[in-house]
Every structure is written in structure tokens, then in C-alpha cells.
Amino acid sequence: MTVTYTAKVADARFCGFSKLLFAWKGSIYKVLYKEILGFFTVYTAISITYRLFLLEDQKRYFEKLAIYCNHYASLIPMSFVLGFYVTLVVNRWWSQYTCIPLPDRLMCALSGGLQGGDPRGRLLRRTMMRYASLSSLLILRSVSTAVFKRFPTMDHVVEAGFMTREERKKFEGLQSPYNKYWIPCVWFTNLAASARFEGRIRDDITLKLLLEELNVFRGNCSMLFHYDMVSVPLVYTQVVTLAVYGFFLVCLVGRQFLDPAQGYPGHELDLYIPIFTLLQFFFYAGWLKVAEQLINPFGEDDDDFETNWLIDRNFQVSMMAVDEMYGDLPALQRDRYWDDCNPRPPYTAATRSVPRKPSFQGSTFDMVIPKEEMVFQSLGGIVENLEESESGNPNLSLLKHVLNDGPTPSGLMGNAPPNASSPLQTRGHPQTSPLPSTDDDSDRFQTLGTNQDTRSTIYSYVDTTSPSRALGFDECQEAAGKVRAEGGKSTIMVEEEHSNVMQGRAATTSNQTPPLLVSPPPTHDDSLAQSAAQASGPLAHGSLTWYFQQGSFSRPISLRIEEQCPTPRSATPCSVQDFFAIQPIGEQLSVRPSLPTGTTGNKSGPNFLTVPCFDVTASQERQSPTLPH
């Protein structure tokens, strides 16, 4: 029977394995003492012959031979060859144990899936479970010497009750040159189909579950058969065996104690008994014996599997589960912790003194963070990854540059110095210069632009109550509300004067950058379109509209950015102008992407200066104002 010693080493203590060193059953001494006695006997015979029976010339020759053997014995890779071989055998040994067919899952599925407390239902359950046990018995009888000695013939199997005589006739009547351990599994499936037809298996899902569990059971039987058929390659076993025995045959001569009077290096002492050579033999030969014990665990060694015990256990447990325990339930009653929301089972006096650790909550559960670092910060104080945003969405990066680094309102109203250019200006282009405005719309439309081959930006400030009049900087500042700074961080505050008054945005930063105020877009009418055309030329290409909402505002605020490519009256190449405006979002908006259109020069189709257009529409009752195209 398998030697079990786990209870003796339940706790690690000083010399905890010392109690195991004196065990005999299953020990290394029991399997190796004959080899050690044989090795020591041969070594002693050679030593006596060298000391007593050889002549002087013969002794000198033997001494040279011993030195030669001891020098080249280290070339045999003992640790490398044995280590890989024993690792392979141990893994194979445990895999074979996990493949032993156990009926526990199958019997639970069968007890709950095949209904009927009448004799017919009981007969079906017991017969199907007996077929499963018969299949495992047939495969274990084929691979285990202990099981074969217990059931040497099919008559013994019939006599033991695993098979009836009628079943034996059918079993032997099926002619096949291969192992027929799988036949009882087929009988199981046929009975399961009959039970489903009779309605004792209520649905196909239960039938599928039964057949799946049977296939797992049968697969384990098949794996045991293949483990028995496909062994570790013989050449590997031969190499390891020859390496071990060849090494110690050389050691019989090379590890002899030579005459100290000859002055050979390393032979200053004459101890007669090779203590360390015997230890080396004990370790290496014992390692090889471990592989011999585990390479076939279905034999009759001390550490081989108890297959006969497994047959008895599996048959008794499976029959009890499908017959005696079918429909047998204890009375339902409340447990002792019924009204306790935090049940704690009691401890005995032996375990009460053992300190208990608190329940594990996570590796960061006990982290301590200073209070000043736990205060939520506003979004304006968080540094964004501009490189990532620019690579992912360049238009979003354009929006951030405009909001954070835009020109001052005074510059937008025409009072800015000549070098107050837009942050969107193309690198390497000349500085911007104010564009001339028309006389008709000078009060309505103030612009800051560039020459025709540079990128320019147009900002407008329009009072929706009187579209013909442009708002000055002071009026914009008054309409936008007040600006406040908290701790040197950016603060945004928007106030709504009335439903038709412009919405202003004011920003204050730590370096006191003047705020950028933008207003709702101008009304879509002919006069405005004419003034825009006079200021920057006819508009071409598409436009891009963005909307964003700031949840902390009293009303949602939308920022609309339109980027246009004007076509000047002259034949010079066109430039790009941007229109920025803020307007309140009164209704739910929908965004429809559309493809950019337009022409550049004599070539048709989209170009690199064209920005994708998103037309933003409101509900049918009201639409957001758009720029003239």
C-alpha cells in the first residue's frame, strides 16, 4: 500500500524529517541496500587484491590505471542525465494517477438526472453505474498487475458481480482484436437513450450532461491504456542506466586508496573504506531507483497505486449514490445562525490561543495618503497630454490652443499691436497684420487677419439684440460677468444676463493672461454675408463645427469653431480663416458628419487645407444658426 507520512510532517520544525529517516517500508534503504552491499563487496575485493596479491610492478601499473579512471570519470554527466530523467518520470507518475477513472461526478449526475423511484428506475440507475464500474475494472485489469492477479479471467469478473453471464456472452461475441474496455460505456449510452425515450430523463440537457460525464470517465480509461502502451523511450532509460552503472564501475578502480609512499597527489591518506564514494553511490543509485519505482505505478511496490482499494471504494460509493441515496433528503430546518448576519463558528480550547490574522482587504488597503493630496482638483489644473491629443485628434488640440493661448480682446477689437498674431499661425510664415474692414460693417465685424498665403483667425463679437452693432471690449467684459482667481489656478465663470444676451467666457491663469471673450455667431442674413465677403473674400470649402458642454454652468455652453478657406478676389493662393463663437445650446443637438468639398486651383476634390465639416442641427422646431457658405 502507498506509504503515507504527511501527518508526521504537518508542521515544519527542527529536524522535522528526522522521524522519517528510520522508516523501512517505502524507504530508500529497502530498495537500495542490495546494490550498496554489492558495490562495497566488489570494491573491497579489488582493494584486497591490490594490497596483498599484486607484485610491485603490477601495483605501479594498477596505480596508474586508478589515477586515469578517477581523472576521466568526471566526464560522465550524471546530474544532468539523471535530473531530466527523474523529472520526466515524476510528472508522468502524477499524470497517471489523475487519469484513474473516478465515478464521483458521473454518479451525482446520474442520481439527479434519471428520475423514478420504482423498480424500473432503480434498475436503470444501478445497471448504468455498474457498466461504468465494469469499464474501469477492465482497463485496470489490463494495466495493473495487482488487479490482474485479483481478476485473472472473465469468469472472476462475472463471479465478482461486475458482469452478468448474458452480458459476458455479448461481450465475448463482439469480435475485435483490440482491448474492449469501452463496450460497457456504449451499453451505458444505449440505456441513457432508452431512459430519455421513456421520459425518465426529462430533457435533452440532462441527457447531454450524462453523456459528457461518461465521456470524461471513458477518456480517463483511454489515457490509462495509452500510458501503459506508450512508455518513456527505451533509449532514454538505457542511457540513464548505463551512465549510472558505468560511472560506478569506473569508481571501483578509480576511487581505490593507493600507497601513500608513492606520493601521488590526493593519496596522502589510506582510509581503506571509501566513505564519500559510498555516499555518492547512495545518492545517484538511489535517484535511479526512484525512477524505477515511479515509472510504472501500477505494480506491487510499496509506493505503487492501490488499484484494488480504488476498485472497492468506487464500486461501493457509486452504488450507494444512485440507489440508497436516491431521493433521500434530510428534513429542512433552520441552521443555528439563521438570525445572525455575521456567523462565526466556535473554536476549541486548542485553537483559541492561535492568533488570527485580520481578513485580507487588498495590498493597498492600509496605504496612508496626506490629506492635502486627497483634495479633488479642477480640470483646469490637470496637465493634459498634448502630444497624445494632437496625434489622436489634431482638431481637439487646435481647440485647446485657442482657448488657452488666444489673443487679448483688445487685440481682437483692433487695438492690438501689429505683432499680436493668432496662436494658430503657421510656423515660418510672416507676422500677421490687420486687415482693412469695410465701412458698412465696421461696427459689426472686427477682424484680425494675415496676408493671403498664411493661416489667419477671425474673432467676432456680436450682440444678438442688435446685430448691426459690434460690442466693444468693455461691453463684452460687462456682459460676460466677473472673473475670479482661486489660489493662482485657472477659474472659469459664466453668467447669463438674459435669454437673448450673449454668453461670455472669461479665463484667468496664474500668469495673468488676458481673458478671451467670444460671443454667439452673427445672424444669418445677407448683409452679414456681404460684409464677411468684403472683409475676407468669398468663402470656399467646408467648415468644421465643434460643440462642447461645461456641466458646471447654469446653462450648457457650446463652442463652435468653423475653419474656412477664403478665395481672394485676386489670383493669389487662398488662406485659411477660423471663426470662433460661443452660443447657448437650447435644444438637443445632433451631429452629422459630411465629406469636405471644394476646389483648389484647377484641381477638384479635397485638399490638405480642407477641414472636415460637421453640420449641427437642432430639432425641427428650432435650428442653430450657421455661417453663410
Side-chain angles (χ1 to χ4, degrees), residues 434-501:
L435 292 177
S437 59
T438 60
D439 298 335
D440 298 335
D441 300 290
S442 58
D443 294 335
R444 170 189 285 263
F445 213 94
Q446 297 290 339
T447 61
L448 175 66
T450 64
N451 49 17
Q452 292 294 332
D453 60 345
T454 59
R455 190 179 187 85
S456 62
T457 305
I458 296 179
Y459 303 86
S460 68
Y461 299 83
V462 181
D463 187 353
T464 56
T465 58
S466 57
S468 61
R469 185 179 65 85
L471 296 179
F473 173 75
D474 295 335
E475 296 180 74
C476 291
Q477 193 80 340
E478 180 180 0
K482 59 183 179 179
V483 178
R484 58 181 180 180
E486 296 178 358
K489 298 181 180 179
S490 298
T491 302
I492 298 175
M493 186 174 183
V494 175
E495 293 183 355
E496 183 178 359
E497 298 293 327
H498 52 81
S499 59
N500 292 325
V501 177

Side-chain angles (χ1 to χ4, degrees), residues 193-430:
S194 299
R196 177 69 182 97
F197 181 76
E198 296 175 10
R200 297 183 181 274
I201 298 179
R202 305 203 171 189
D203 48 50
D204 294 334
I205 297 178
T206 306
L207 177 62
K208 179 177 179 291
L209 176 62
L210 280 176
L211 296 183
E212 286 178 348
E213 294 299 336
L214 176 68
N215 282 331
V216 173
F217 187 87
R218 187 212 56 79
N220 289 336
C221 296
S222 177
M223 285 303 300
L224 284 185
F225 179 76
H226 287 290
Y227 271 119
D228 185 67
M229 180 177 65
V230 181
S231 304
V232 177
L234 180 62
V235 292
Y236 200 178
T237 305
Q238 289 176 342
V239 167
V240 173
T241 305
L242 289 175
V244 174
Y245 287 108
F247 176 80
F248 287 107
L249 283 176
V250 174
C251 288
L252 287 174
V253 177
R255 300 295 176 86
Q256 293 287 337
F257 288 99
L258 304 180
D259 187 4
Q262 301 299 322
Y264 297 115
H267 292 274
E268 292 81 7
L269 296 177
D270 189 3
L271 299 179
Y272 298 98
I273 299 177
I275 298 176
F276 290 98
T277 302
L278 291 177
L279 288 176
Q280 196 174 22
F281 181 86
F282 183 83
F283 297 144
Y284 283 140
W287 212 354
L288 182 62
K289 282 296 180 180
V290 169
E292 291 180 9
Q293 288 270 317
L294 302 182
I295 197 170
N296 182 15
F298 294 102
E300 295 180 288
D301 298 324
D302 291 339
D303 279 316
D304 286 342
F305 301 149
E306 287 293 331
T307 50
N308 284 320
W309 176 85
L310 286 172
I311 290 173
D312 297 338
R313 180 263 175 195
N314 294 341
F315 188 70
Q316 191 273 334
V317 169
S318 61
M319 286 300 178
M320 177 185 292
V322 300
D323 186 13
E324 183 179 350
M325 294 186 64
Y326 173 75
D328 184 18
L329 289 173
L332 295 179
Q333 54 181 319
R334 298 181 178 182
D335 58 84
R336 63 177 301 179
Y337 304 104
W338 180 264
D339 296 323
D340 191 356
C341 62
N342 185 22
R344 301 183 64 184
Y347 285 83
T348 61
T351 58
R352 184 66 179 177
S353 59
V354 178
R356 291 180 299 161
K357 295 182 179 180
S359 60
F360 182 74
Q361 301 292 336
S363 57
T364 62
F365 185 75
D366 296 329
M367 285 185 61
V368 178
I369 302 176
K371 292 183 178 180
E372 59 272 11
E373 296 184 6
M374 292 190 291
V375 179
F376 278 117
Q377 303 294 320
S378 62
L379 294 178
I382 300 176
V383 179
E384 299 288 346
N385 191 346
L386 298 180
E387 295 182 358
E388 181 179 355
S389 62
E390 290 176 3
S391 60
N393 192 344
N395 293 330
L396 185 59
S397 176
L398 175 67
L399 170 64
K400 293 180 180 179
H401 279 294
V402 170
L403 294 181
N404 296 330
D405 303 323
T408 61
S410 59
L412 296 178
M413 298 308 297
N415 299 326
N419 59 352
S421 60
S422 169
L424 304 179
Q425 183 175 337
T426 306
R427 292 183 181 180
H429 286 270

